[in-house]
Amino acid sequence: MREKHSIFGWKSAFRSYTIRDLIKDSLYPASIAIAIMLLSYFSGKDMAEELIKIVTVGLSVTPVMMSILLAAYAILMSMYWSPICEKMKHSGKGNKLLNELNSSFAVAIRVICLGVLYLLIISSVGIVNIPFEVVNPNIANALFFAVALYFMLFSIWIIKDIAINIYNFASFTVNTDIKNKKDEDKKDS
C-alpha cells in the first residue's frame, strides 16, 4: 500500500527542513561543544563540576531562546493571515519560502525542547547523585557536558537562521509589492 504524503506532522516538516539541514545547522554548535569539552577534559578539570555549571547556564539560556523563537513564530503565524501572505501563497517561490520557514521553525523548536528536557534530566540526575558505573564517571560526565553544551549553543546559533528567514520573508514581500506597483504603473500608462 502506498504511503500517504500528509502536509501535517514531523514527516512533512522534515520534507522542507531535512536531516541534512539539521546536521548543517548543528556543525558549529557541535564542533564548539566538542572543542570546549576536550579542552576542559584534558586540562584536568572535574567534569562533574563543569557539567553542573553548563547545565545551570543552559537551563537559564535555552528556555529563553525557545521563548524568543516561539514569539517570532507566533508573529510569523499572525502574518500568514495578512494580505501579503495571500500573494505569497499564490506564488511558487513564495509558497516554497513559507514552507521552508514554517519547517525550520518547527524543527528548531523541537530540537530546543529536546535540549531543555535533556538539561532538566541531567540536572535531576546530578541533584540526586545517581552513580554511573558503566564508564569512567569523568568520561561520562565529559560526554554529558558536550551534549548539554551543544543544546545550549544550538539554541543560540539557530537564531541567526531564523533572523535570515524572517529577512527573506520581508524581502519577498517588499519585492512583490514593488513588482506589483510597477505592473500597475505600466497598466495605467
Side-chain angles (χ1 to χ4, degrees), residues 165-178:
N165 285 339
I166 292 171
Y167 168 80
N168 291 341
F169 178 84
S171 180
F172 184 89
T173 58
V174 167
N175 289 324
T176 301
D177 285 345
I178 291 171

Side-chain angles (χ1 to χ4, degrees), residues 65 68-69 112 154-164:
M65 292 295 118
I68 291 169
L69 195 62
I112 294 171
F154 180 86
S155 71
I156 297 166
W157 183 259
I158 201 69
I159 295 296
K160 71 162 183 53
D161 292 334
I162 299 302
I164 197 64

Side-chain angles (χ1 to χ4, degrees), residues 23-40:
I23 290 169
K24 190 174 120 183
D25 287 338
S26 294
L27 283 177
Y28 282 108
S31 298
I32 293 168
I34 290 169
I36 291 172
M37 181 269 299
L38 289 173
L39 286 171
S40 297

Side-chain angles (χ1 to χ4, degrees), residues 71-91:
Y73 192 48
I75 291 168
L76 181 71
M77 291 306 295
S78 68
M79 292 174 72
Y80 278 168
W81 300 104
S82 72
I84 293 169
C85 272
E86 282 304 313
K87 294 175 189 174
M88 291 180 80
K89 291 175 191 174
H90 300 294
S91 161

